[in-house]
Amino acid sequence: MGPKEKLPAHRVRTVILPAFRKVGLVPLFQQWSSSRPLWICLSRLGSLHLIVRGPRFLGEGSVIWGNYVRIHPYPARARRNRTRSAPIPGGIQRIVNLTLENASSFTALLELPATQAVELLHLSQSEEGTQAPPSGDIFQGIGDDHKPYLPSFDGNLTFPSNRALIEAAAKFSVFAAGENSPETSSVPSNSSANLGKVKSEPAETDSNPNSSQPLVPDPTVENKTQRSAKRKEQRKRAKGLRRRARTRALKKLRKLPYRHSELVAARREKINARMKLLQELVPGCSKVRLCLLDYAAFNNGFVPVTFSQKRCFCGKISGTALVLDEIINHVQSLQRQVEFLSMRLAAVNPRIDFNLDSLFATEGGPLVDSNFPSMASLSTVSRNPIQWNREQYQQQCPFDALHQPFWGREEDNHTFHFSRELPFES
Amino acid sequence: MAPSISHLNLENSERKKRRKTGDELRDPNTETRWKSESQQRIYSTKLVEALRHVRQNSLPTSKSPSGREIRHAADRVLAVAAKGRTRWSRAILASRLSLRLANSRKHRKAKPGKVTGCSRLKRPEKKRSLPAVQKKVKVLGRLVPGCRKVSFPNLLEEATDYIAALEMQVRAMTALTELLTGAPVDRLGPSSDL
């Protein structure tokens, strides 16, 4: 992926940073100089997160919004133990050290607890008017001077406004750019390579308590890029509209869960639930069903990429393909039965008119009783009226003599049927 | 509203519509819906009425109604019994007239058409998504009326409802033919009565 153009500042202000704040992150620093914009953000819990733009890292982090991926700050072990502390792992430090020259300033920052980091924000905010110090000085001075700012942080942490942040970040970035300019060519390649390496570590981690379920590994990165590209296109198209249509379109886009893994998980849940229902309906699917369910439990809801050929731990090959086969066969057999029955009904049809009329007359109610088998009992009642109807039939009939054989046959069947009837009724 | 929809992906608007139909389907459970006694009673009475109408319609031409017409009538009655909540029922009801008129012509063309369709599917084997599952999904889409371009989860829902409805239809028609012909109907093969 070649170097991308820098994000325009107004877009950052109006779109990106509000998105971060929605998630609960306060951007602390912005890295503009490299080809890939980079943010270090502070979450409400006090942990630091690294936000990187770009679909390349989609498989290794969780999408915050659009293309912006949060690289999980916690190493695998800590997250599995579900510790809620806010450790600043070495991973982030390394990343940060790579991208920015001034390593010392960052380590100073990273060792600070949350409140002090926020103070840092305010400090930078206040100092912007007075001086334009290099970033190192801003942060080195913190440790000494945090006293006057303590009272403001008695209650909740207050987050500064956007513009102050931007200006601080801009200043910082200017500084960083100034420092890094001779090495911009090498740094991006290095940083991206190393970022890639470092991110391969948290790739297998479980999710943050805040964020959603783990993502699918690499084979589906393509699909995700396609989907994010699709959303980008939608957004572009939405921007081409006029104001009201645009806001409506953007609202629709925002309603979608912007975390990709949530989308995928929700979709899979829907599909699995419906498959379960179908399998109960279709006979001969129970074995396959058990396998599928066990598989889901076994993986703790992990989303399989290819949902056709998966082996569950009982060893059978089960999956959607077989179940679909069964379903298709069942539907086809049912449709065939309907056709066959309709053909029979067509043959029987001449009797319907008078027979039903007679039945309605005798019964004085709907033809069908509550149970279908009890319908057969009606025919015993109708046996006598039928003979009466025969005369009627012969009087009325516009039918040809063709139908007489049917009638004859019916009578034979009827006598036949009476003997068969009793076991059927019982 | 119209320009925004036209600009947006068609999927988005369709997704909204599908969500609504999905919510409606889930609440009355499909199994109990098509297995309840009242539903069976409603269906059978309507079926009898429809059959009588078919019979009367075909009387002036003095030919016995073909199996196809009866089948279409039965499907229509089934769709009416579904009260239009499902996609397949609406498709059946909507295609009523056109199917009837063009069916005789289409039926002759359909068979050779199906053969070429199958061979067409066999040639491009390797596609991006797994062809096995996608093929089956398409086949299922073709089987369930009106569900060719429906997304997979909705297709599954439609198929569930359709299977339940078909089973009820088979039961009703079996009972009706048993009643009328007076012989227990053999399901799998053609009976000897005819």
Side-chain angles (χ1 to χ4, degrees):
Chain A
M1 315 185 95
K4 295 188 177 167
E5 55 193 6
K6 286 188 190 174
L7 296 168
H10 69 273
R11 183 151 186 257
V12 172
R13 220 182 303 139
T14 55
V15 178
I16 295 177
L17 292 178
F20 285 170
R21 267 143 109 246
K22 259 194 212 172
V23 190
L25 294 171
V26 177
L28 294 176
F29 302 109
Q30 272 172 316
Q31 162 79 12
W32 290 99
S33 61
S34 75
S35 64
R36 194 170 296 283
L38 172 78
W39 282 267
I40 295 184
C41 304
L42 179 70
S43 79
R44 284 198 183 122
L45 292 179
S47 59
L48 283 179
H49 296 272
L50 186 70
I51 312 288
V52 178
R53 177 181 185 235
R56 182 176 158 189
F57 305 113
L58 276 175
E60 292 143 342
S62 62
V63 176
I64 298 272
W65 171 81
N67 283 339
Y68 297 87
V69 180
R70 163 165 57 195
I71 309 300
H72 301 297
Y74 299 111
R77 280 177 222 157
R79 204 174 297 135
R80 273 183 206 142
N81 293 335
R82 302 268 171 178
T83 53
R84 281 227 160 203
S85 61
I88 314 296
I92 279 202
Q93 264 188 326
R94 242 180 293 149
I95 292 170
V96 157
N97 291 344
L98 288 165
T99 54
L100 298 158
E101 278 295 295
N102 215 345
S104 59
S105 65
F106 262 87
T107 52
L109 168 71
L110 293 175
E111 281 158 10
L112 291 172
T115 53
Q116 289 177 345
V118 180
E119 288 163 26
L120 190 135
L121 272 172
H122 282 257
L123 242 189
S124 59
Q125 188 183 346
S126 64
E127 283 187 0
E128 69 193 4
T130 54
Q131 19 168 335
S135 62
D137 292 351
I138 290 180
F139 307 125
Q140 278 164 13
I142 288 300
D144 309 325
D145 294 335
H146 64 265
K147 270 188 194 171
Y149 297 92
L150 269 174
S152 60
F153 298 106
D154 278 342
N156 302 324
L157 296 173
T158 58
F159 296 108
S161 66
N162 257 340
R163 281 190 191 163
L165 266 180
I166 294 241
E167 285 160 41
K171 240 169 241 149
F172 179 73
S173 64
V174 162
F175 173 72
E179 280 215 330
N180 292 336
S181 49
E183 291 159 332
T184 42
S185 55
S186 58
V187 163
S189 57
N190 277 338
S191 66
S192 53
N194 289 322
L195 280 172
K197 270 192 228 163
V198 170
K199 275 153 207 159
S200 63
E201 287 176 22
E204 294 171 0
T205 58
D206 288 337
S207 61
N208 216 354
N210 284 341
S211 69
S212 49
Q213 292 170 10
L215 287 179
V216 182
D218 286 328
T220 51
V221 168
E222 280 186 18
N223 291 333
K224 280 170 206 161
T225 55
Q226 290 166 18
R227 276 179 223 133
S228 62
K230 205 194 286 177
R231 214 174 280 168
K232 253 176 145 179
E233 276 178 40
Q234 288 174 1
R235 218 171 282 128
K236 275 189 197 163
R237 248 180 271 155
K239 289 210 169 141
L241 307 171
R242 297 206 179 158
R243 200 181 54 175
R244 277 190 196 167
R246 195 196 312 162
T247 46
R248 238 178 271 133
L250 285 177
K251 264 189 196 172
K252 275 189 194 172
L253 282 176
R254 263 181 241 144
K255 271 184 197 169
L256 307 175
Y258 46 72
R259 280 184 201 155
H260 185 72
S261 48
E262 280 177 10
L263 255 180
V264 173
R267 204 186 304 156
R268 281 304 291 180
E269 271 175 35
K270 268 193 240 171
I271 290 179
N272 281 337
R274 288 164 200 192
M275 293 281 281
K276 264 187 250 177
L277 278 179
L278 259 177
Q279 282 168 344
E280 282 164 21
L281 209 52
V282 173
C285 268
S286 52
K287 283 186 199 169
V288 183
R289 167 168 65 106
L290 286 174
C291 287
L292 271 180
L293 289 180
D294 290 338
Y295 183 71
F298 182 62
N299 280 306
N300 295 322
F302 180 74
V303 176
V305 176
T306 62
F307 51 87
S308 70
Q309 301 288 325
K310 285 289 179 188
R311 287 180 182 272
C312 65
F313 55 57
C314 67
K316 296 182 195 168
I317 300 180
S318 65
T320 312
L322 296 177
V323 174
L324 280 179
D325 264 340
E326 281 295 314
I327 294 171
I328 288 173
N329 284 336
H330 193 60
V331 170
Q332 280 173 342
S333 74
L334 283 174
Q335 283 179 343
R336 256 181 275 135
Q337 276 176 27
V338 168
E339 275 209 50
F340 167 61
L341 283 170
S342 66
M343 268 173 48
R344 287 206 70 185
L345 268 180
V348 166
N349 223 356
R351 262 189 64 182
I352 285 183
D353 289 340
F354 54 88
N355 198 6
L356 297 178
D357 287 340
S358 72
L359 281 172
F360 281 130
T362 53
E363 293 299 305
L367 167 68
V368 183
D369 210 352
S370 56
N371 290 322
F372 279 140
S374 64
M375 273 170 68
S377 64
L378 291 175
S379 54
T380 53
V381 178
S382 64
R383 205 185 169 215
N384 288 327
I386 277 181
Q387 288 172 348
W388 168 69
N389 274 331
R390 196 184 181 187
E391 294 156 9
Q392 245 191 4
Y393 168 78
Q394 282 173 341
Q395 286 168 13
Q396 286 179 4
C397 74
F399 301 117
D400 301 332
L402 202 84
H403 294 294
Q404 292 288 350
F406 279 125
W407 177 243
R409 211 181 301 161
E410 299 311 317
E411 261 209 343
D412 290 336
N413 285 339
H414 222 59
T415 52
F416 206 50
H417 155 78
F418 189 66
S419 58
R420 267 196 230 166
E421 179 103 10
L422 296 168
F424 186 71
E425 268 190 77
S426 60
Chain B
M1 196 65 177
S4 66
I5 289 181
S6 64
H7 278 288
L8 279 179
N9 222 357
L10 186 63
E11 258 197 320
N12 261 340
S13 58
E14 266 194 294
R15 214 179 289 167
K16 264 195 174 178
K17 286 178 201 166
R18 276 180 224 154
R19 270 190 209 140
K20 284 176 194 168
T21 56
D23 291 338
E24 278 177 25
L25 258 189
R26 290 244 197 90
D27 299 349
N29 194 9
T30 47
E31 282 203 24
T32 54
R33 229 177 94 196
W34 291 108
K35 277 187 182 171
S36 66
E37 305 293 354
S38 59
Q39 188 70 260
Q40 286 178 348
R41 213 181 307 152
I42 293 172
Y43 178 71
S44 36
T45 44
K46 287 190 182 166
L47 178 66
V48 159
E49 287 284 331
L51 285 177
R52 203 193 304 166
H53 280 301
V54 165
R55 189 68 200 148
Q56 285 172 357
N57 285 340
S58 69
L59 266 184
T61 53
S62 73
K63 59 165 177 146
S64 61
S66 66
R68 206 187 312 146
E69 287 177 18
I70 290 193
R71 183 182 162 219
H72 288 319
D75 284 340
R76 247 181 289 138
V77 175
L78 190 66
V80 165
K83 292 178 196 161
R85 271 195 224 128
T86 49
R87 207 183 183 94
W88 58 264
S89 58
R90 274 173 269 152
I92 289 178
L93 292 173
S95 65
R96 168 164 55 146
L97 286 173
S98 57
L99 254 186
R100 265 186 119 194
L101 290 173
N103 205 19
S104 52
R105 296 172 224 155
K106 268 189 189 175
H107 206 65
R108 290 166 205 166
K109 284 184 188 174
K111 279 171 188 174
K114 273 179 194 169
V115 170
T116 55
C118 286
S119 61
R120 235 186 293 135
L121 280 176
K122 278 178 193 169
R123 270 182 239 141
E125 278 268 359
K126 299 294 179 184
K127 289 185 181 176
R128 255 195 245 148
S129 50
L130 273 184
V133 177
Q134 290 298 319
K135 253 191 260 175
K136 284 163 192 171
V137 166
K138 278 189 190 166
V139 168
L140 189 59
R142 262 186 279 134
L143 279 179
V144 181
C147 286
R148 288 191 194 205
K149 293 189 180 179
V150 171
S151 70
F152 186 48
N154 288 322
L155 181 62
L156 289 179
E157 255 193 88
E158 296 285 327
T160 316
D161 203 57
Y162 189 56
I163 287 177
L166 276 180
E167 283 183 359
M168 194 203 75
Q169 189 180 29
V170 162
R171 265 180 285 145
M173 289 174 75
T174 317
L176 190 59
T177 49
E178 274 190 33
L179 171 68
L180 290 179
T181 60
V185 176
D186 182 25
R187 276 201 182 175
L188 295 175
S191 78
S192 52
D193 284 335
L194 292 174

